[in-house]
Amino acid sequence: LTWGAQFANAIAARTTKPVWLHLMIDAPTAFLDRLSLPDNTCISFHAETNDDINLLIEKIQTKSWLPSITLNPETPVEVIT
């Protein structure tokens, strides 16, 4: 982790701007419970995650956040179709 949940939570608590969090971690599902972010926060995660993508999307949406999938340059787009 570059900064971690505590840092992301602190930024979100002190801004009125939309928050976009890019998770570059292997297992983001468990990490989500450590976040206290406003509604409509965009949560990006990599398609190469070890987590189930559909369950991860559902968990993000239950928190009223917006899911976003990112791809590494060498990953074919077909992995998310």
Side-chain angles (χ1 to χ4, degrees):
L1 296 176
T2 302
W3 293 326
Q6 186 176 15
F7 190 81
N9 292 339
I11 290 173
R14 288 167 179 79
T15 186
T16 59
K17 301 290 184 183
V19 177
W20 185 343
L21 191 62
H22 182 139
L23 302 178
M24 297 179 67
I25 54 180
D26 293 332
T29 302
F31 185 76
L32 295 178
D33 290 332
R34 297 170 49 198
L35 297 171
S36 297
L37 305 171
D39 290 353
N40 296 317
T41 292
C42 185
I43 304 290
S44 295
F45 61 89
H46 282 264
E48 298 84 3
T49 181
N50 293 332
D51 293 344
D52 180 290
I53 288 177
N54 291 319
L55 293 177
L56 179 54
I57 289 171
E58 286 178 22
K59 184 160 186 171
I60 291 169
Q61 290 174 326
T62 63
K63 294 181 174 285
S64 299
W65 300 334
L66 307 170
S68 171
I69 301 176
T70 61
L71 298 173
N72 287 324
E74 66 276 1
T75 303
V77 73
E78 290 79 19
V79 301
I80 60 170
T81 57

